[in-house]
Amino acid sequence: MKKFYIETFGCQMNAHDSEKVTGTLLARGYSQVEEPESADLVLYNTCSIRDKAEQKVFHRLQQFKRDAGKGKVFGVLGCVAQQEGERIFDRAPHVSLVAGSASYTRLPELLVQLESGARRVTGLSLDTEETFETPFARRDNPHRAYITIIEGCDKSCAYCVVPFTRGPERSRPAAGVLAEARALVRDGYTEIQLLGQNVNSYRDPSPSGWDFARLLRAVGEIDGLRRVRFTTSHPRDFVKDIVDAIEDNPILCNHVHLPVQSGSSAVLERMRRLYTRPDYLRRIEWMKSSRRPIAITTDIIVGFPGETEQEFDETLSLLNSVEYDSLFSFKYSPRPNTSAAALDNPLDETEKGRRLTVLQELQRAIQIRLNSRLVGSVEECLVEGYNQATGQWIGRTTQNRTLNFTHPALPAPSAGASLAGSYLPVRVTRSGPNSLAGEACVESTAA
Ligand code: SAH
Ligand code: SF4
Ligand code: F3S
């Protein structure tokens, strides 16, 4: 039996694509191994959002250069594959397969070519009429499942490769989304995460023409589901109806990821983000004034070309006024095929690094403050597993916080007894910048 190894970089879209690829290979009789050394087929599902991410795959391939010609087949999938195309063969001649995400439905056919000894096989077309149906997806997590609702991106943010690597937007018919969600519930999944580069611009291609809020409401009504999340939202297309949908249904989690990128309207304009700081703050206000305690997270880029000290200060002041529950922050990285690559006034790496540190220190203080306010409260957790090293169960709250806890009746998993997958109330007793700790609330059974 042929053995394959797959390593995934990048976002949840890529993680889910790897689940589809894994399922397809398992269905063809391959078995999965945990080390590239013992595999016949080594796959890297790559990310090219920043230069550092892109370089990772070339480092990996370099490590195996000496294995070329020893029967091991190497494949590069995902966004670097789409971006670099056949140039990958020049940089890493031992690679045999290069395929972007829109070509995975053709994977069985590409595998046949590889299995019959083809030296170089590519799947790089972006206008594939792919179906979103994923009969083979082999999911990594037994409780939480990803569902793709929209592929690609029609925005043209000046710094971003995604429209180029994933192509134009294609929404999936709502009937397919709902059918997959119901099937997942029958298989025991209780949490669903709806995925897309910009879920807010979802539009059902079938005559009903549902928008994202309508789809979200419908998914939230599926019997047996406990949690629904979605990512990512573009602020321009984030409408109040999404907040109303969350208010109306507790199944929809108390969390919205709303990437802002910068707190300066001038920088946002240069980034071509299509909203200003006041537009963004209006959306924040919808959430802050909601009856539900909606956690808000974001992405920030520091050091975009020409970002002045004053413009950077506006990002810091935005952090202070929004008080994000957490955020991802990045140094701007110039990318091929993007309009920002041609902009003047690049910042040097040292200055970008300094701004990143200042921003992260401020955010750390905000998180310490916000998390400490939760001490004493009771949060419902989905139990994800057990940490042997700390002797704590690992839980996740509806706000997407990690809450590690002890359980008096079950201090550790034992033969046949585990809390993983259950939903439990946990009292928060301690807090840190990145997580909470607590004790499970166990009903007193004393007479
Ligand atoms: N579709 C999502 C973003 C996906 S990329 C959205 O629009 O929000 C994830 C994050 O990577 C972005 O939000 C941005 O903060 C960061 N990013 C994208 N391109 C980048 C670049 N060239 N340099 C640094 N960070 C970048
Ligand atoms: Fe990239 Fe902008 Fe599209 Fe997000 S919305 S994927 S940042 S182009
Ligand atoms: Fe990276 Fe592609 Fe996702 S560039 S962030 S893997 S869409």
Side-chain angles (χ1 to χ4, degrees):
M1 192 197 291
K2 291 217 170 195
K3 299 188 191 119
F4 76 97
Y5 167 84
I6 186 165
E7 182 175 358
T8 309
F9 306 95
C11 60
Q12 285 112 323
M13 266 59 70
N14 252 21
H16 186 38
D17 282 344
S18 286
E19 294 180 335
K20 298 177 195 175
V21 170
T22 297
T24 306
L25 287 164
L26 293 173
R28 283 191 67 79
Y30 283 73
S31 65
Q32 188 170 12
V33 293
E34 298 302 321
E35 278 92 34
E37 287 76 9
S38 54
D40 309 298
L41 174 62
V42 176
L43 296 175
Y44 296 108
N45 190 5
T46 60
C47 173
S48 69
I49 201 82
R50 286 166 291 277
D51 186 57
K52 241 195 194 154
E54 176 174 342
Q55 294 318 322
K56 277 187 195 155
V57 61
F58 291 107
H59 286 139
R60 291 288 196 281
L61 287 168
Q62 200 61 31
Q63 289 164 13
F64 288 102
K65 219 169 180 172
R66 57 189 150 69
D67 289 343
K70 292 191 195 156
K72 227 191 236 320
V73 171
F74 292 88
V76 177
L77 308 177
C79 292
V80 177
Q82 196 67 52
Q83 179 188 293
E84 294 301 307
E86 300 190 355
R87 282 196 297 268
I88 291 176
F89 296 134
D90 302 333
R91 270 180 85 173
H94 53 306
V95 170
S96 303
L97 168 70
V98 173
S101 63
S103 302
Y104 297 159
T105 40
R106 283 185 54 218
L107 203 60
E109 175 197 328
L110 301 176
L111 286 169
V112 169
Q113 294 176 30
L114 280 179
E115 286 157 4
S116 54
R119 181 63 192 90
R120 283 180 174 169
V121 177
T122 55
L124 294 167
S125 161
L126 269 180
D127 50 24
T128 330
E129 276 294 306
E130 82 256 71
T131 83
F132 284 92
E133 305 313 316
T134 52
F136 299 127
R138 216 291 325 269
R139 290 176 153 90
D140 295 333
N141 183 304
H143 317 296
R144 181 188 341 118
Y146 296 128
I147 298 185
T148 310
I149 64 164
I150 180 168
E151 283 281 3
C153 180
D154 279 351
K155 296 283 185 290
S156 39
C157 303
Y159 50 80
C160 183
V161 291
V162 173
F164 188 82
T165 60
R166 298 228 161 211
E169 272 174 7
R170 293 91 72 195
S171 287
R172 175 178 183 180
V177 173
L178 293 172
E180 185 172 0
R182 289 195 194 98
L184 287 164
V185 171
R186 281 196 296 277
D187 288 344
Y189 292 91
T190 56
E191 178 175 320
I192 278 175
Q193 186 158 347
L194 304 176
L195 290 184
Q197 286 299 342
N198 178 7
V199 290
N200 306 139
S201 58
Y202 176 83
R203 178 66 66 175
D204 187 350
S206 54
S208 74
W210 282 5
D211 65 5
F212 176 63
R214 185 69 194 80
L215 178 73
L216 189 60
R217 285 178 192 272
V219 174
E221 278 158 20
I222 293 174
D223 268 350
L225 262 187
R226 297 288 296 263
R227 286 182 174 178
V228 177
R229 303 182 185 278
F230 55 91
T231 201
T232 288
S233 288
H234 189 290
R236 158 86 169 227
D237 306 319
F238 185 82
V239 293
K240 172 98 178 7
D241 203 16
I242 297 172
V243 181
D244 295 343
I246 294 175
E247 283 211 333
D248 291 345
N249 185 347
I251 299 294
L252 306 181
C253 285
N254 290 340
H255 176 212
V256 170
H257 184 63
L258 199 63
V260 66
Q261 315 301 355
S262 166
S264 150
S265 292
V267 173
L268 290 171
E269 188 171 347
R270 298 206 293 278
M271 288 179 167
R272 304 197 187 160
R273 284 292 283 180
L274 310 174
Y275 55 86
T276 61
R277 176 183 173 122
D279 295 336
Y280 183 84
L281 285 172
R282 214 168 304 126
R283 285 149 178 80
I284 295 296
E285 193 42 44
W286 296 337
M287 291 187 270
K288 297 261 180 196
S289 57
S290 156
R291 277 177 277 118
R292 293 274 293 279
I294 300 177
I296 306 170
T297 58
T298 202
D299 295 345
I300 305 274
I301 297 176
V302 301
F304 189 74
E307 184 188 68
T308 63
E309 192 65 42
Q310 198 187 349
E311 287 166 343
F312 174 62
D313 284 346
E314 290 182 63
T315 298
L316 299 179
S317 88
L318 184 83
L319 261 53
N320 277 319
S321 56
V322 176
E323 295 196 297
Y324 290 105
D325 293 84
S326 86
L327 58 75
F328 297 105
S329 50
F330 312 101
K331 287 191 281 185
Y332 168 71
S333 166
R335 306 306 293 132
N337 310 306
T338 63
S339 59
L343 290 180
D344 294 335
N345 300 322
L347 275 79
D348 68 44
E349 284 304 307
T350 321
E351 180 55 17
K352 285 193 241 178
R354 187 193 67 80
R355 292 187 188 183
L356 192 68
T357 307
V358 169
L359 182 118
Q360 290 178 343
E361 277 170 8
L362 170 63
Q363 180 59 22
R364 186 181 152 88
I366 292 172
Q367 285 178 207
I368 289 174
R369 188 163 77 230
L370 294 186
N371 286 346
S372 72
R373 289 184 199 151
L374 292 169
V375 172
S377 68
V378 173
E379 302 281 329
E380 184 189 61
C381 283
L382 164 58
V383 187
E384 295 186 336
Y386 184 77
N387 184 336
Q388 290 289 349
T390 61
Q392 287 170 311
W393 294 94
I394 306 159
R396 189 164 295 277
T397 71
T398 168
Q399 291 189 322
N400 210 31
R401 285 187 162 80
T402 301
L403 171 44
N404 300 307
F405 64 96
T406 51
H407 192 289
L410 196 62
S414 61
S418 173
L419 300 174
S422 57
Y423 289 80
L424 294 177
V426 176
R427 183 172 305 281
V428 180
T429 54
R430 281 176 294 132
S431 67
N434 298 311
S435 66
L436 305 170
E439 288 158 12
C441 304
V442 183
E443 277 175 38
S444 166
T445 49

